[in-house]
Amino acid sequence: MARSTSGFCITCLKRSLVHRDVPGFGVDQLRDDNLETYWQSDGSQPHLVNIQFRRKTTVKALCIYADYKSDESYTPSKISVRVGNNFHNLQEIRQLELVEPSGWIHVPLTDAHKKPIRTFMIQIAVLANHQNGRDTHMRQIKVFTPVEESSIGKFPRCTTIDFMMHRFIR
């Protein structure tokens, strides 16, 4: 599971589109909760993963799982994260340089005042790979929204095994 973000994972509630992929290694592998599977791009860079929401959504973090030891030249080394209302007004909010990553990469999705952003779309652009690789492997992507307080206070922390087994809405 991704590093603790004290929020709800909403990855399964979104629609994802990828630029180009290899049959059998598509968007379903990005959301299957299996670190052994992966999405594989096909074509020239940048490789794009577009995450679109049906309505404007508050998001606070993006987590990407990458494994250099397994993927070598397919592992991203430079990623751009962009947000906006649609493809025509995306703005870069983060650019990451990754050095042989192994595990979850936590990307805060906050504005200049450290507040979560509201958006219709997130785009992950792989700008470069390790060893000048052409295609990309991405093993998992998760998007988190903040936990909101209710009129009766903060939501309780549910950590029982039974709760953890059913924590995602599908």
Side-chain angles (χ1 to χ4, degrees):
M1 179 68 191
R3 187 173 113 181
S4 174
T5 59
S6 67
F8 289 115
C9 177
I10 59 172
T11 306
C12 49
L13 303 178
K14 63 171 174 43
R15 187 179 88 179
S16 298
L17 303 167
V18 294
H19 187 232
R20 285 187 285 275
D21 59 18
V22 173
F25 299 92
V27 70
D28 291 340
Q29 283 69 36
L30 287 173
R31 304 185 301 184
D32 67 2
D33 286 327
N34 183 349
L35 300 179
E36 301 300 315
T37 63
Y38 52 86
W39 162 68
Q40 181 174 326
S41 66
D42 187 23
S44 58
Q45 290 176 342
H47 302 300
L48 306 175
V49 177
N50 299 302
I51 304 166
Q52 295 178 296
F53 303 101
R54 288 191 171 97
R55 62 178 184 251
K56 203 165 199 176
T57 303
T58 302
V59 293
K60 68 177 245 174
L62 169 71
C63 293
I64 302 168
Y65 190 87
D67 187 356
Y68 178 77
K69 288 183 181 177
S70 296
D71 299 326
E72 297 180 343
S73 67
Y74 289 89
T75 308
S77 62
K78 189 173 190 180
I79 295 176
S80 170
V81 179
R82 305 160 183 167
V83 297
N85 292 328
N86 55 51
F87 290 101
H88 304 292
N89 71 350
L90 291 171
Q91 294 184 335
E92 183 176 82
I93 59 168
R94 298 274 183 276
Q95 192 170 104
L96 307 163
E97 298 279 341
L98 308 175
V99 180
E100 298 185 9
S102 178
W104 288 102
I105 301 152
H106 180 82
V107 183
L109 299 178
T110 54
D111 63 16
H113 305 290
K114 304 291 184 199
K115 294 190 182 242
I117 59 169
R118 292 185 46 77
T119 189
F120 279 104
M121 183 174 185
I122 300 170
Q123 183 178 77
I124 303 165
V126 177
L127 306 176
N129 288 332
H130 284 79
Q131 304 171 12
N132 295 316
R134 181 178 161 215
D135 291 321
T136 295
H137 286 181
M138 252 191 237
R139 294 189 172 264
Q140 292 291 299
I141 296 175
K142 297 201 178 283
V143 178
F144 290 87
T145 186
V147 175
E148 295 185 20
E149 291 188 24
S150 70
S151 60
I152 57 172
K154 292 187 177 186
F155 290 112
R157 291 217 178 250
C158 300
T159 57
T160 65
I161 293 172
D162 193 46
F163 176 79
M164 298 304 278
M165 289 173 48
H166 304 286
R167 69 181 178 251
F168 295 111
I169 299 172
R170 296 217 183 249

